[in-house]
Amino acid sequence: MSIENLSQNKCFDGWLKQYNHQSSALNCTMRFSIFLPPQVNDGAKVPVIYWLSGLTCTDENFTQKAGAQRVAAELGVAIVAPDTSPRGEDVADDENYDLGQGAGFYLNATEPPWNTHYQMYDYITEELPALIEAMFPVTDKRSICGHSMGGHGALTIALKNVDKYQSVSAFSPITNPMKCPWGQKAFTAYLGRNTESWKAYDSCELMKEAKATLPMLIDQGTSDDFLKEQLKPEALSQVAVDMGYPLELRYHNGYDHSYYFMASFIEDHLKFHAKYLT
């Protein structure tokens, strides 16, 4: 494995570092950021929280806006923030923000031209953790969280891989993509028109089939412009009730879809994961 360090900044006595590497899963160069807490300076290995960002974002949105590093430093956890999709001149794209580069939806595309590069599910669940655990002072204990499209990714990945994660959380996730415009557009392009194949990447459908559970926390702002049409947390909440799944869904009055919302409650999420990681 080979990685290229692009930048590093000392932060709360830890280090925020950004890297490039050649991804075999995505067939392109990928970028990620990692925050290493100060505990690693004394030779300790620490658990990892994977953060998945939303539409149009890169690894930098979370590291620059969420204010997570102070709490991660106190808790002794690393945070890994990958990019949201494959990128490059030869990577398929679309003129709209909700498809193509910046909108990978954390799935394995089966339809051309997307299937050449858009294998984000394999990248997040297999290739990236293997690289992180080989190259950095971390343990194999992982949790996962995300925002919006990244919340969809975190939930679906955790529901499909309960053996790989200790806990899962999300801000404003797309919980029922089969029944919202963002999901229907992306799934049609990436997976084709057979909606049965879509169920493998829909949190509501996956929770119905869950054989085991993970601690799950979701925060949702009531003033989120995408709440009713795109996010549909009430759908997942109803499935959780029906299936007896331990979902904690919290609504926050007046909060929107922005990073101001995440910055307000990121400490809760990091402490939630730390309970199960440390």
Short mmCIF file of all heavy atoms in Angstrom, two decimals, residues 224-275:
data_model
loop_
_atom_site.label_atom_id
_atom_site.label_comp_id
_atom_site.label_asym_id
_atom_site.label_seq_id
_atom_site.Cartn_x
_atom_site.Cartn_y
_atom_site.Cartn_z
N ASP A 224 -35.27 21.46 8.45
CA ASP A 224 -34.52 20.94 7.31
C ASP A 224 -35.40 21.00 6.06
O ASP A 224 -36.48 20.41 6.02
CB ASP A 224 -34.11 19.50 7.61
CG ASP A 224 -33.11 18.93 6.63
OD1 ASP A 224 -33.24 19.21 5.42
OD2 ASP A 224 -32.21 18.19 7.07
N ASP A 225 -34.95 21.70 5.02
CA ASP A 225 -35.73 21.85 3.80
C ASP A 225 -35.98 20.52 3.08
O ASP A 225 -36.90 20.42 2.27
CB ASP A 225 -35.03 22.81 2.83
CG ASP A 225 -35.04 24.25 3.31
OD1 ASP A 225 -35.89 24.58 4.16
OD2 ASP A 225 -34.20 25.04 2.84
N PHE A 226 -35.15 19.51 3.36
CA PHE A 226 -35.26 18.23 2.67
C PHE A 226 -36.02 17.17 3.48
O PHE A 226 -36.15 16.03 3.05
CB PHE A 226 -33.86 17.70 2.33
CG PHE A 226 -33.03 18.66 1.55
CD1 PHE A 226 -31.92 19.27 2.13
CD2 PHE A 226 -33.34 18.99 0.24
CE1 PHE A 226 -31.14 20.17 1.41
CE2 PHE A 226 -32.57 19.88 -0.49
CZ PHE A 226 -31.47 20.48 0.09
N LEU A 227 -36.50 17.54 4.64
CA LEU A 227 -37.05 16.58 5.60
C LEU A 227 -38.17 15.73 5.01
O LEU A 227 -38.11 14.50 5.03
CB LEU A 227 -37.53 17.32 6.86
CG LEU A 227 -38.21 16.50 7.94
CD1 LEU A 227 -37.32 15.36 8.40
CD2 LEU A 227 -38.58 17.40 9.12
N LYS A 228 -39.20 16.36 4.49
CA LYS A 228 -40.39 15.61 4.08
C LYS A 228 -40.21 14.87 2.76
O LYS A 228 -40.59 13.71 2.63
CB LYS A 228 -41.59 16.56 3.99
CG LYS A 228 -42.05 17.08 5.34
CD LYS A 228 -43.32 17.93 5.21
CE LYS A 228 -43.79 18.40 6.58
NZ LYS A 228 -45.03 19.23 6.48
N GLU A 229 -39.59 15.54 1.77
CA GLU A 229 -39.52 14.94 0.44
C GLU A 229 -38.39 13.94 0.29
O GLU A 229 -38.55 12.90 -0.37
CB GLU A 229 -39.35 16.03 -0.62
CG GLU A 229 -39.36 15.50 -2.04
CD GLU A 229 -39.21 16.58 -3.09
OE1 GLU A 229 -38.58 17.62 -2.80
OE2 GLU A 229 -39.72 16.38 -4.20
N GLN A 230 -37.23 14.20 0.93
CA GLN A 230 -36.04 13.40 0.65
C GLN A 230 -35.60 12.49 1.79
O GLN A 230 -35.08 11.40 1.54
CB GLN A 230 -34.87 14.34 0.31
CG GLN A 230 -35.11 15.28 -0.85
CD GLN A 230 -35.01 14.60 -2.21
OE1 GLN A 230 -34.95 13.37 -2.32
NE2 GLN A 230 -34.97 15.40 -3.26
N LEU A 231 -35.76 12.90 3.04
CA LEU A 231 -35.11 12.20 4.16
C LEU A 231 -35.99 11.15 4.80
O LEU A 231 -35.52 10.06 5.15
CB LEU A 231 -34.62 13.23 5.19
CG LEU A 231 -33.74 14.35 4.62
CD1 LEU A 231 -33.32 15.31 5.73
CD2 LEU A 231 -32.51 13.78 3.91
N LYS A 232 -37.21 11.45 5.09
CA LYS A 232 -38.23 10.51 5.56
C LYS A 232 -37.82 9.69 6.79
O LYS A 232 -37.93 8.45 6.82
CB LYS A 232 -38.63 9.57 4.42
CG LYS A 232 -39.18 10.30 3.21
CD LYS A 232 -39.64 9.34 2.14
CE LYS A 232 -40.14 10.08 0.90
NZ LYS A 232 -41.34 10.90 1.18
N PRO A 233 -37.33 10.34 7.86
CA PRO A 233 -36.94 9.57 9.06
C PRO A 233 -38.10 8.83 9.70
O PRO A 233 -37.88 7.80 10.36
CB PRO A 233 -36.38 10.64 9.99
CG PRO A 233 -37.02 11.91 9.54
CD PRO A 233 -37.14 11.79 8.05
N GLU A 234 -39.32 9.32 9.50
CA GLU A 234 -40.47 8.64 10.10
C GLU A 234 -40.65 7.23 9.52
O GLU A 234 -41.16 6.33 10.21
CB GLU A 234 -41.74 9.48 9.90
CG GLU A 234 -42.29 9.53 8.49
CD GLU A 234 -41.51 10.46 7.56
OE1 GLU A 234 -40.63 11.20 8.05
OE2 GLU A 234 -41.82 10.44 6.34
N ALA A 235 -40.23 7.02 8.28
CA ALA A 235 -40.34 5.69 7.67
C ALA A 235 -39.43 4.70 8.39
O ALA A 235 -39.84 3.58 8.71
CB ALA A 235 -39.99 5.77 6.19
N LEU A 236 -38.18 5.10 8.64
CA LEU A 236 -37.26 4.22 9.34
C LEU A 236 -37.68 4.03 10.79
O LEU A 236 -37.57 2.92 11.34
CB LEU A 236 -35.84 4.79 9.28
CG LEU A 236 -34.74 3.87 9.82
CD1 LEU A 236 -34.62 2.61 8.98
CD2 LEU A 236 -33.40 4.59 9.86
N SER A 237 -38.19 5.08 11.40
CA SER A 237 -38.66 4.97 12.78
C SER A 237 -39.78 3.95 12.91
O SER A 237 -39.82 3.16 13.86
CB SER A 237 -39.13 6.34 13.27
OG SER A 237 -39.60 6.27 14.59
N GLN A 238 -40.68 3.93 11.93
CA GLN A 238 -41.78 2.96 11.98
C GLN A 238 -41.28 1.54 11.81
O GLN A 238 -41.74 0.62 12.49
CB GLN A 238 -42.80 3.28 10.89
CG GLN A 238 -44.05 2.41 10.95
CD GLN A 238 -44.77 2.53 12.28
OE1 GLN A 238 -45.17 3.62 12.68
NE2 GLN A 238 -44.93 1.42 12.99
N VAL A 239 -40.31 1.34 10.92
CA VAL A 239 -39.72 0.00 10.76
C VAL A 239 -39.04 -0.43 12.06
O VAL A 239 -39.16 -1.58 12.48
CB VAL A 239 -38.72 -0.03 9.60
CG1 VAL A 239 -38.04 -1.39 9.52
CG2 VAL A 239 -39.42 0.29 8.28
N ALA A 240 -38.33 0.51 12.71
CA ALA A 240 -37.65 0.19 13.96
C ALA A 240 -38.65 -0.25 15.02
O ALA A 240 -38.41 -1.21 15.77
CB ALA A 240 -36.84 1.39 14.45
N VAL A 241 -39.78 0.44 15.10
CA VAL A 241 -40.83 0.04 16.04
C VAL A 241 -41.36 -1.35 15.70
O VAL A 241 -41.50 -2.21 16.57
CB VAL A 241 -41.97 1.08 16.03
CG1 VAL A 241 -43.16 0.57 16.84
CG2 VAL A 241 -41.49 2.41 16.60
N ASP A 242 -41.63 -1.57 14.44
CA ASP A 242 -42.19 -2.85 14.01
C ASP A 242 -41.23 -4.01 14.28
O ASP A 242 -41.67 -5.11 14.63
CB ASP A 242 -42.52 -2.81 12.52
CG ASP A 242 -43.64 -1.84 12.18
OD1 ASP A 242 -44.39 -1.44 13.11
OD2 ASP A 242 -43.77 -1.47 11.00
N MET A 243 -39.94 -3.76 14.09
CA MET A 243 -38.94 -4.82 14.21
C MET A 243 -38.29 -4.88 15.59
O MET A 243 -37.49 -5.78 15.85
CB MET A 243 -37.85 -4.62 13.15
CG MET A 243 -38.36 -4.57 11.72
SD MET A 243 -39.30 -6.04 11.24
CE MET A 243 -38.04 -7.30 11.39
N GLY A 244 -38.59 -3.93 16.46
CA GLY A 244 -37.94 -3.87 17.76
C GLY A 244 -36.47 -3.52 17.66
O GLY A 244 -35.66 -3.97 18.48
N TYR A 245 -36.11 -2.68 16.68
CA TYR A 245 -34.72 -2.29 16.49
C TYR A 245 -34.37 -1.11 17.40
O TYR A 245 -35.14 -0.16 17.50
CB TYR A 245 -34.46 -1.90 15.03
CG TYR A 245 -33.01 -1.98 14.64
CD1 TYR A 245 -32.51 -3.08 13.95
CD2 TYR A 245 -32.12 -0.97 14.98
CE1 TYR A 245 -31.17 -3.16 13.60
CE2 TYR A 245 -30.78 -1.04 14.64
CZ TYR A 245 -30.31 -2.14 13.96
OH TYR A 245 -28.98 -2.23 13.62
N PRO A 246 -33.22 -1.14 18.07
CA PRO A 246 -32.88 -0.10 19.05
C PRO A 246 -32.40 1.19 18.39
O PRO A 246 -31.22 1.56 18.46
CB PRO A 246 -31.76 -0.74 19.86
CG PRO A 246 -31.08 -1.67 18.90
CD PRO A 246 -32.20 -2.22 18.04
N LEU A 247 -33.32 1.91 17.79
CA LEU A 247 -33.03 3.19 17.15
C LEU A 247 -33.43 4.34 18.08
O LEU A 247 -34.55 4.39 18.57
CB LEU A 247 -33.81 3.31 15.84
CG LEU A 247 -33.96 4.72 15.24
CD1 LEU A 247 -32.60 5.31 14.88
CD2 LEU A 247 -34.90 4.69 14.04
N GLU A 248 -32.48 5.26 18.30
CA GLU A 248 -32.80 6.50 19.00
C GLU A 248 -32.85 7.62 17.97
O GLU A 248 -31.83 8.01 17.41
CB GLU A 248 -31.76 6.82 20.07
CG GLU A 248 -32.09 8.10 20.85
CD GLU A 248 -31.06 8.46 21.90
OE1 GLU A 248 -30.06 7.74 22.04
OE2 GLU A 248 -31.27 9.50 22.59
N LEU A 249 -34.05 8.13 17.69
CA LEU A 249 -34.25 9.20 16.74
C LEU A 249 -34.62 10.47 17.49
O LEU A 249 -35.62 10.49 18.21
CB LEU A 249 -35.36 8.83 15.75
CG LEU A 249 -35.85 9.93 14.81
CD1 LEU A 249 -34.73 10.46 13.93
CD2 LEU A 249 -37.01 9.41 13.96
N ARG A 250 -33.82 11.52 17.34
CA ARG A 250 -34.03 12.77 18.05
C ARG A 250 -34.33 13.89 17.05
O ARG A 250 -33.57 14.09 16.10
CB ARG A 250 -32.79 13.14 18.88
CG ARG A 250 -32.28 12.02 19.77
CD ARG A 250 -31.19 12.47 20.73
NE ARG A 250 -30.07 13.14 20.08
CZ ARG A 250 -28.97 13.55 20.72
NH1 ARG A 250 -28.86 13.35 22.03
NH2 ARG A 250 -27.99 14.15 20.06
N TYR A 251 -35.42 14.60 17.27
CA TYR A 251 -35.73 15.78 16.48
C TYR A 251 -35.29 17.03 17.24
O TYR A 251 -35.46 17.11 18.46
CB TYR A 251 -37.23 15.86 16.19
CG TYR A 251 -37.71 14.85 15.18
CD1 TYR A 251 -38.23 13.63 15.59
CD2 TYR A 251 -37.66 15.13 13.82
CE1 TYR A 251 -38.69 12.70 14.66
CE2 TYR A 251 -38.12 14.21 12.89
CZ TYR A 251 -38.64 13.00 13.31
OH TYR A 251 -39.09 12.08 12.39
N HIS A 252 -34.73 18.01 16.51
CA HIS A 252 -34.21 19.23 17.12
C HIS A 252 -34.90 20.43 16.48
O HIS A 252 -34.72 20.71 15.29
CB HIS A 252 -32.69 19.31 16.93
CG HIS A 252 -31.96 18.16 17.56
ND1 HIS A 252 -31.60 18.15 18.90
CD2 HIS A 252 -31.53 16.98 17.04
CE1 HIS A 252 -30.96 17.02 19.17
NE2 HIS A 252 -30.91 16.30 18.06
N ASN A 253 -35.67 21.12 17.26
CA ASN A 253 -36.49 22.23 16.78
C ASN A 253 -35.64 23.36 16.20
O ASN A 253 -34.71 23.85 16.85
CB ASN A 253 -37.37 22.76 17.90
CG ASN A 253 -38.37 23.79 17.42
OD1 ASN A 253 -39.00 23.58 16.39
ND2 ASN A 253 -38.53 24.87 18.15
N GLY A 254 -35.96 23.78 14.97
CA GLY A 254 -35.33 24.93 14.35
C GLY A 254 -34.05 24.67 13.60
O GLY A 254 -33.57 25.54 12.87
N TYR A 255 -33.46 23.48 13.73
CA TYR A 255 -32.20 23.19 13.05
C TYR A 255 -32.45 22.77 11.61
O TYR A 255 -33.45 22.13 11.29
CB TYR A 255 -31.42 22.11 13.80
CG TYR A 255 -30.76 22.62 15.06
CD1 TYR A 255 -31.42 22.55 16.28
CD2 TYR A 255 -29.49 23.18 15.02
CE1 TYR A 255 -30.81 23.03 17.44
CE2 TYR A 255 -28.87 23.65 16.17
CZ TYR A 255 -29.54 23.58 17.37
OH TYR A 255 -28.95 24.06 18.50
N ASP A 256 -31.48 23.11 10.73
CA ASP A 256 -31.63 22.83 9.30
C ASP A 256 -30.70 21.71 8.86
O ASP A 256 -30.31 20.87 9.68
CB ASP A 256 -31.40 24.11 8.49
CG ASP A 256 -30.02 24.75 8.75
OD1 ASP A 256 -29.11 24.05 9.24
OD2 ASP A 256 -29.87 25.95 8.46
N HIS A 257 -30.31 21.71 7.58
CA HIS A 257 -29.52 20.62 6.99
C HIS A 257 -28.03 20.94 6.97
O HIS A 257 -27.23 20.15 6.44
CB HIS A 257 -30.01 20.38 5.56
CG HIS A 257 -29.67 19.04 4.99
ND1 HIS A 257 -30.26 17.87 5.42
CD2 HIS A 257 -28.80 18.68 4.01
CE1 HIS A 257 -29.78 16.86 4.73
NE2 HIS A 257 -28.89 17.31 3.87
N SER A 258 -27.63 22.04 7.56
CA SER A 258 -26.27 22.53 7.38
C SER A 258 -25.30 21.98 8.42
O SER A 258 -25.68 21.28 9.37
CB SER A 258 -26.27 24.06 7.48
OG SER A 258 -26.50 24.46 8.83
N TYR A 259 -24.02 22.35 8.25
CA TYR A 259 -23.00 21.96 9.21
C TYR A 259 -23.14 22.69 10.54
O TYR A 259 -22.55 22.28 11.53
CB TYR A 259 -21.61 22.16 8.61
CG TYR A 259 -21.10 20.92 7.93
CD1 TYR A 259 -21.45 20.62 6.61
CD2 TYR A 259 -20.32 19.99 8.61
CE1 TYR A 259 -21.01 19.47 5.99
CE2 TYR A 259 -19.87 18.83 8.00
CZ TYR A 259 -20.23 18.58 6.69
OH TYR A 259 -19.80 17.43 6.09
N TYR A 260 -23.93 23.75 10.59
CA TYR A 260 -24.22 24.36 11.89
C TYR A 260 -24.97 23.37 12.78
O TYR A 260 -24.74 23.31 13.99
CB TYR A 260 -25.06 25.63 11.69
CG TYR A 260 -24.35 26.72 10.94
CD1 TYR A 260 -24.74 27.05 9.65
CD2 TYR A 260 -23.28 27.41 11.52
CE1 TYR A 260 -24.08 28.05 8.95
CE2 TYR A 260 -22.62 28.41 10.82
CZ TYR A 260 -23.02 28.72 9.53
OH TYR A 260 -22.37 29.71 8.84
N PHE A 261 -25.84 22.59 12.18
CA PHE A 261 -26.56 21.53 12.90
C PHE A 261 -25.59 20.47 13.40
O PHE A 261 -25.60 20.09 14.58
CB PHE A 261 -27.62 20.93 11.98
CG PHE A 261 -28.38 19.77 12.55
CD1 PHE A 261 -28.79 19.75 13.88
CD2 PHE A 261 -28.72 18.69 11.75
CE1 PHE A 261 -29.50 18.67 14.40
CE2 PHE A 261 -29.43 17.62 12.25
CZ PHE A 261 -29.82 17.60 13.57
N MET A 262 -24.72 20.01 12.53
CA MET A 262 -23.76 18.98 12.92
C MET A 262 -22.81 19.48 14.01
O MET A 262 -22.52 18.76 14.97
CB MET A 262 -22.99 18.49 11.71
CG MET A 262 -23.76 17.50 10.87
SD MET A 262 -22.95 17.16 9.31
CE MET A 262 -23.54 18.54 8.34
N ALA A 263 -22.32 20.70 13.84
CA ALA A 263 -21.41 21.24 14.84
C ALA A 263 -22.06 21.35 16.21
O ALA A 263 -21.39 21.23 17.24
CB ALA A 263 -20.91 22.62 14.39
N SER A 264 -23.39 21.52 16.23
CA SER A 264 -24.11 21.66 17.50
C SER A 264 -24.20 20.34 18.26
O SER A 264 -24.29 20.35 19.49
CB SER A 264 -25.52 22.20 17.23
OG SER A 264 -25.48 23.47 16.63
N PHE A 265 -24.18 19.21 17.54
CA PHE A 265 -24.43 17.92 18.19
C PHE A 265 -23.36 16.86 17.91
O PHE A 265 -23.54 15.71 18.31
CB PHE A 265 -25.81 17.39 17.78
CG PHE A 265 -26.94 18.29 18.20
CD1 PHE A 265 -27.52 19.17 17.30
CD2 PHE A 265 -27.38 18.28 19.52
CE1 PHE A 265 -28.55 20.02 17.70
CE2 PHE A 265 -28.41 19.13 19.93
CZ PHE A 265 -28.99 20.00 19.01
N ILE A 266 -22.26 17.25 17.27
CA ILE A 266 -21.23 16.26 16.96
C ILE A 266 -20.62 15.67 18.23
O ILE A 266 -20.26 14.49 18.26
CB ILE A 266 -20.13 16.87 16.06
CG1 ILE A 266 -19.21 15.78 15.52
CG2 ILE A 266 -19.34 17.94 16.80
CD1 ILE A 266 -19.88 14.78 14.62
N GLU A 267 -20.56 16.45 19.29
CA GLU A 267 -20.01 15.91 20.54
C GLU A 267 -20.85 14.76 21.05
O GLU A 267 -20.31 13.74 21.51
CB GLU A 267 -19.93 17.02 21.60
CG GLU A 267 -19.31 16.55 22.91
CD GLU A 267 -18.99 17.68 23.85
OE1 GLU A 267 -19.10 18.86 23.45
OE2 GLU A 267 -18.59 17.39 25.00
N ASP A 268 -22.18 14.88 20.96
CA ASP A 268 -23.06 13.78 21.36
C ASP A 268 -22.74 12.51 20.58
O ASP A 268 -22.71 11.41 21.14
CB ASP A 268 -24.52 14.14 21.14
CG ASP A 268 -25.03 15.20 22.10
OD1 ASP A 268 -24.27 15.61 22.98
OD2 ASP A 268 -26.20 15.61 21.95
N HIS A 269 -22.53 12.66 19.28
CA HIS A 269 -22.31 11.49 18.44
C HIS A 269 -20.96 10.84 18.74
O HIS A 269 -20.87 9.60 18.80
CB HIS A 269 -22.41 11.89 16.96
CG HIS A 269 -23.81 12.08 16.50
ND1 HIS A 269 -24.40 11.31 15.52
CD2 HIS A 269 -24.76 12.95 16.91
CE1 HIS A 269 -25.65 11.71 15.34
NE2 HIS A 269 -25.88 12.71 16.16
N LEU A 270 -19.93 11.63 18.92
CA LEU A 270 -18.63 11.06 19.23
C LEU A 270 -18.64 10.34 20.58
O LEU A 270 -18.07 9.24 20.72
CB LEU A 270 -17.56 12.13 19.21
CG LEU A 270 -17.33 12.82 17.86
CD1 LEU A 270 -16.18 13.82 17.96
CD2 LEU A 270 -17.07 11.83 16.74
N LYS A 271 -19.31 10.91 21.55
CA LYS A 271 -19.40 10.26 22.86
C LYS A 271 -20.27 8.99 22.78
O LYS A 271 -19.99 8.00 23.47
CB LYS A 271 -19.96 11.23 23.89
CG LYS A 271 -18.96 12.32 24.29
CD LYS A 271 -19.53 13.27 25.34
CE LYS A 271 -18.48 14.27 25.79
NZ LYS A 271 -19.02 15.23 26.79
N PHE A 272 -21.30 9.04 21.97
CA PHE A 272 -22.12 7.85 21.74
C PHE A 272 -21.27 6.70 21.20
O PHE A 272 -21.31 5.57 21.71
CB PHE A 272 -23.24 8.21 20.74
CG PHE A 272 -23.99 7.03 20.18
CD1 PHE A 272 -24.97 6.40 20.91
CD2 PHE A 272 -23.72 6.59 18.89
CE1 PHE A 272 -25.67 5.33 20.38
CE2 PHE A 272 -24.42 5.52 18.34
CZ PHE A 272 -25.40 4.88 19.10
N HIS A 273 -20.45 6.98 20.19
CA HIS A 273 -19.60 5.93 19.62
C HIS A 273 -18.52 5.49 20.60
O HIS A 273 -18.19 4.29 20.68
CB HIS A 273 -18.99 6.42 18.31
CG HIS A 273 -19.97 6.60 17.21
ND1 HIS A 273 -20.76 5.57 16.74
CD2 HIS A 273 -20.33 7.69 16.50
CE1 HIS A 273 -21.54 6.01 15.76
NE2 HIS A 273 -21.31 7.31 15.61
N ALA A 274 -17.95 6.44 21.33
CA ALA A 274 -16.86 6.09 22.24
C ALA A 274 -17.30 5.09 23.30
O ALA A 274 -16.49 4.27 23.77
CB ALA A 274 -16.33 7.36 22.91
N LYS A 275 -18.57 5.13 23.68
CA LYS A 275 -19.08 4.16 24.67
C LYS A 275 -18.88 2.73 24.18
O LYS A 275 -18.68 1.81 24.99
CB LYS A 275 -20.57 4.40 24.93
CG LYS A 275 -20.89 5.60 25.74
CD LYS A 275 -22.36 5.60 26.17
CE LYS A 275 -23.29 5.60 24.98
NZ LYS A 275 -24.72 5.67 25.40
#
